[in-house]
Amino acid sequence: MKKFFIYPLLLAFIAGIVAGANYTPGTFLSGWDTLHPEFNVPLAFSRIFTGVWRADQGLGAVAIQSHIADLPRVFLLFLGSFLMPVNLLRYASFLVTLAVGPVGIYWLTEHLLIKQHGSHRHFIAFFCALTYLFNLGTVQHFIVPLEMFAFHYALLPWLLFTGLLTLESGSRKSFLAFTLITLLAAPQAHTATLFYAYFGVFTLFVGAWILSSDQKFRALKRGTMLITAILLLNAYWLLPNIYAVATKSNAVRTSKVNALFSDEAFAKNQKFGTIADAALIKNFLFDWQLVDPKTNAQIDVMAAWSDHLMRHPIALAYGYTVFFLVWTGFVYALWKKQRILLNFAPVFIIPFLMLLNGTWPMTLVLARIKESAPVLGEAMRFSFTKFSILYMAASSLFAGIGLLQILRLIKQVSVIRVTKATIIVLSFYYFLPAFGGNLVHPSMRVNIPPAYFDTFSWFQKQNPDRRVAILPVFSFWNWINYSWGYQGAGFLQFGIPQPILDRDYDRWSPMNENYYWELSQALYSEDATAFDAVLRKYDVHYLLLDENVISRDHGRSLYIDQTKTLLSQIPTITIAKSFGKVTIYERNNEVSPSFVSLKTNLPT
């Protein structure tokens, strides 16, 4: 078998080993910013096709997040549901992307080095792919996984590869491959700012190709085809998102959660916006914590990796060695005026500058953006997540070019072989914690109690237009911790077909946030009359009280016993069903028959 087939198979095998080490049998991959359309695929499809206005988000909200863009992934989950149990679907979707991205880098590098007829070509492509896989950026995008980053990681190399082929040849086959991958890559836009970063950099990549081309009209025509294809194929979610940003972004920016959190997030990003940290693709998760499900204590998200780098200076030195190779390759491309390589300069330089957001003059640039364009500043609070994978793709290419130049300086075959073996061994050593199960954090692999799936099944049989209030409401933060291990933005919305009043939706509508303030005021005042008035005002039919929820501050803040007492004092509220520690209450009067109704004498 030819070498260029052996290496991609080897990459898939290595990714498979890492995937296996980060899978816990019988668990769900769940936590942090969780997406679980596989809990109810028909419901997910329904919400996608009617998702410009999210009627399921509390009192309803214009969709700022582009849930519609998740359509290709939901379709893949639908197909996968015939092949594997529901708890494996999210695992599979993430761990497949772990292999697809590096293989894409391999073929992209192979193509870039196609005129390099030396014996190093296949090895360099393999090294570039390993560099894309074995780096701290990959870890930070998978340790608390979110689908949009996994899809971006997997398909960005293929978008660059097929886009480059189209610019070079203009062939229908290449363009068709690019359009297909563009369609599959739509889930990267779940939070659209990631797509906007990709689109802006890719447009500059195309622009660089046009400017450097000897036949500019032909290059312009092909480049226009690519950009037009991206816009048209993403228009189904892109146009609604533009509308949402234009009309609702200020409400999102000024919500209580974002008003308190955004500056902290921006500061944490800038803390790691130094050359030393950018060189290692190291950012805010190294200063982030989560709850240990066993002890309920705060622990560092990246503890295993911080310990690895601190205890093993050789691993740390390898990280900086790769950075040296990256810049060696980039300087070589500049010096030799390697046109095809320099077209990747925008994909390399712009993301690298964004990683340096804590270094002058980037600090001044970002401060000016926050001041003059607050909405854009809000979008840039986590610039690392928007630009790091772009940087990883370009830097892995230039690292290979740098290593290639060093190998060419070595004359002895034995020394070349030792150098190759050493660099591969060190790359594995650098990524060692991943092989020990620390690519996906162990706390993200949880056993979801059957009571929740029983709850989902029960709600499936009820009127889908009946609004559900989630209790307890002890905090305005849209982050929930459960006694059985889950921690994150919640998962009930993926299994309950009714609209739910949940803290995660406060960000998208001031109406949802107002409900929280009013209900919590009534609850903590232990005022049954006021509590009932709030439920009537917001047309709540069901209340779901979950006693699995825990507080990171103090258990008494949950007000579980007081809530039960309060509910017992309202004659129209009765217990409809219980599943373990999940109790569903039902209000039996004054509930609107549909979402649209005319009211008079509204309670205030």
Side-chain angles (χ1 to χ4, degrees):
M1 185 182 291
K2 294 182 179 181
K3 284 185 178 180
F4 51 79
F5 285 121
I6 292 175
Y7 280 124
L9 290 175
L10 182 57
L11 286 166
F13 177 71
I14 294 168
I17 293 175
V18 175
N22 287 270
Y23 166 67
T24 303
T27 63
F28 287 83
L29 180 59
S30 188
W32 219 254
D33 290 313
T34 305
L35 298 178
H36 280 300
E38 69 274 16
F39 286 174
N40 190 331
V41 174
L43 176 65
F45 277 125
S46 173
R47 288 175 175 173
I48 283 173
F49 289 121
T50 60
V52 176
W53 169 259
R54 294 302 300 249
D56 57 294
Q57 293 186 352
L59 305 169
V62 173
I64 295 289
Q65 287 186 307
S66 299
H67 306 80
I68 311 174
D70 218 23
L71 177 61
R73 190 179 72 87
V74 174
F75 181 72
L76 293 175
L77 289 173
F78 169 70
L79 297 179
S81 65
F82 294 101
L83 303 174
M84 62 188 73
V86 66
N87 69 301
L88 289 182
L89 287 171
R90 195 164 188 253
Y91 271 115
S93 67
F94 271 98
L95 300 178
V96 166
T97 61
L98 192 65
V100 171
V103 171
I105 288 291
Y106 176 85
W107 288 116
L108 174 58
T109 311
E110 269 277 339
H111 179 74
L112 290 173
L113 297 178
I114 199 166
K115 294 181 180 179
Q116 307 284 345
H117 299 294
S119 59
H120 304 312
R121 174 181 158 199
H122 306 303
F123 172 80
I124 292 298
F126 178 65
F127 169 72
C128 290
L130 276 187
T131 302
Y132 188 65
L133 175 61
F134 291 171
N135 69 80
L136 295 182
T138 301
V139 176
Q140 289 165 99
H141 285 294
F142 279 85
I143 199 162
V144 283
L146 179 57
E147 283 77 358
M148 55 186 276
F149 299 119
F151 267 68
H152 186 50
Y153 175 86
L155 296 178
L156 174 64
W158 294 97
L159 289 166
L160 292 172
F161 180 37
T162 55
L164 178 63
L165 290 177
T166 302
L167 288 170
E168 288 179 337
S169 67
S171 72
R172 292 183 179 180
K173 184 178 179 180
S174 298
F175 182 65
L176 180 62
F178 178 80
T179 58
L180 177 61
I181 295 169
T182 296
L183 279 171
L184 290 175
Q188 71 179 330
H190 180 267
T191 298
T193 46
L194 180 62
F195 169 83
Y196 292 136
Y198 151 72
F199 179 70
V201 170
F202 186 85
T203 300
L204 293 175
F205 164 71
V206 171
W209 176 273
I210 294 170
L211 290 175
S212 64
S213 175
D214 295 330
Q215 297 180 316
K216 288 185 170 50
F217 179 77
R218 186 175 67 181
L220 178 63
K221 178 182 177 181
R222 294 172 181 175
T224 302
M225 285 171 51
L226 292 176
I227 300 304
T228 302
I230 294 174
L231 293 174
L232 290 179
L233 293 172
N234 287 282
Y236 70 97
W237 67 263
L238 183 58
L239 293 176
N241 182 258
I242 292 172
Y243 167 77
V245 171
T247 59
K248 301 297 180 182
S249 56
N250 282 330
V252 175
R253 183 175 58 85
T254 56
S255 68
K256 182 72 170 179
V257 170
N258 285 334
L260 290 179
F261 177 68
S262 293
D263 285 342
E264 178 187 358
F266 197 86
K268 282 184 181 289
N269 248 254
Q270 286 199 320
K271 177 181 177 180
F272 290 91
T274 64
I275 293 177
D277 288 324
L280 296 176
I281 321 179
K282 177 182 176 183
N283 211 260
F284 68 94
L285 279 180
F286 277 87
D287 191 26
W288 219 270
Q289 293 184 317
L290 47 70
V291 176
D292 185 340
K294 297 179 181 178
T295 64
N296 202 30
Q298 297 279 347
I299 58 174
D300 291 337
V301 173
M302 303 294 294
W305 293 90
S306 296
D307 183 68
H308 177 62
L309 296 176
M310 182 176 66
R311 290 176 177 269
H312 304 93
I314 293 177
L316 186 64
Y318 174 78
Y320 286 116
T321 299
V322 171
F323 184 66
F324 169 76
L325 292 175
V326 169
W327 280 95
T328 299
F330 184 69
V331 171
Y332 170 81
L334 285 174
W335 180 41
K336 291 293 186 178
K337 298 180 180 178
Q338 298 278 329
R339 183 176 70 85
I340 192 169
L341 293 176
L342 291 178
N343 288 323
F344 286 89
V347 189
F348 173 64
I349 293 296
I350 293 175
F352 182 66
L353 290 175
M354 296 309 300
L355 296 187
L356 294 176
N357 60 0
T359 303
W360 187 91
M362 289 305 298
T363 49
L364 296 180
V365 172
L366 293 174
R368 181 60 61 88
I369 290 174
K370 284 187 67 178
E371 180 182 343
S372 58
V375 173
L376 181 58
E378 176 75 13
M380 297 301 296
R381 64 183 186 179
F382 282 127
S383 55
F384 173 82
T385 60
K386 311 303 184 297
F387 292 95
S388 55
I389 295 176
L390 286 160
Y391 174 75
M392 286 157 52
S395 64
S396 65
L397 297 178
F398 286 114
I401 301 301
L403 179 60
L404 178 62
Q405 306 321 310
I406 291 174
L407 292 177
R408 284 175 170 173
L409 295 175
I410 303 173
K411 304 303 180 183
Q412 296 86 356
V413 174
S414 60
V415 177
I416 290 175
R417 289 174 178 172
V418 170
T419 302
K420 287 181 177 181
T422 301
I423 201 84
I424 296 300
V425 169
L426 286 175
S427 68
F428 276 85
Y429 185 62
Y430 186 58
F431 209 60
L432 201 57
F435 291 92
N438 288 294
L439 177 63
V440 175
H441 199 282
S443 66
M444 299 294 108
R445 298 170 241 163
V446 296
N447 289 296
I448 300 179
Y452 291 97
F453 296 100
D454 293 337
T455 300
F456 297 159
S457 297
W458 187 85
F459 273 113
Q460 297 261 348
K461 301 171 185 176
Q462 312 308 313
N463 187 332
D465 292 345
R466 302 302 199 192
R467 189 167 286 114
V468 184
I470 306 299
L471 302 172
V473 288
F474 65 103
S475 173
F476 61 82
W477 292 109
N478 59 319
W479 211 250
I480 309 169
N481 291 78
Y482 289 89
S483 58
W484 44 269
Y486 175 92
Q487 51 197 296
F491 62 93
L492 297 176
Q493 63 269 37
F494 299 102
I496 296 177
Q498 289 78 8
I500 67 173
L501 287 156
D502 184 74
R503 301 289 59 74
D504 192 42
Y505 300 147
D506 290 1
R507 298 173 291 163
W508 314 130
S509 167
M511 313 305 176
N512 287 334
E513 186 174 311
N514 287 344
Y515 156 81
Y516 163 74
W517 295 121
E518 294 176 27
L519 190 74
S520 60
Q521 169 69 21
L523 174 61
Y524 285 94
S525 300
E526 299 185 45
D527 187 336
T529 301
F531 191 87
D532 187 47
V534 174
L535 298 180
R536 286 189 287 115
K537 174 178 178 178
Y538 291 101
D539 208 21
V540 173
H541 187 74
Y542 295 108
L543 299 99
L544 189 155
L545 177 61
D546 191 345
E547 295 182 59
N548 289 305
V549 174
I550 59 176
S551 172
R552 289 177 290 176
D553 301 315
H554 199 292
R556 286 186 296 178
S557 66
L558 296 169
Y559 243 50
I560 298 293
D561 292 336
Q562 293 88 338
T563 299
K564 291 180 178 179
T565 300
L566 197 66
L567 293 174
S568 69
Q569 295 172 1
I570 303 175
T572 57
I573 295 180
T574 58
I575 295 177
K577 200 71 177 177
S578 292
F579 301 102
K581 292 187 176 183
V582 178
T583 305
I584 303 167
Y585 294 82
E586 184 174 7
R587 288 183 64 242
N588 296 308
N589 69 340
E590 295 189 50
V591 177
S592 299
S594 68
F595 284 130
V596 182
S597 60
L598 183 64
K599 297 280 189 175
T600 58
N601 300 320
L602 290 174
T604 58

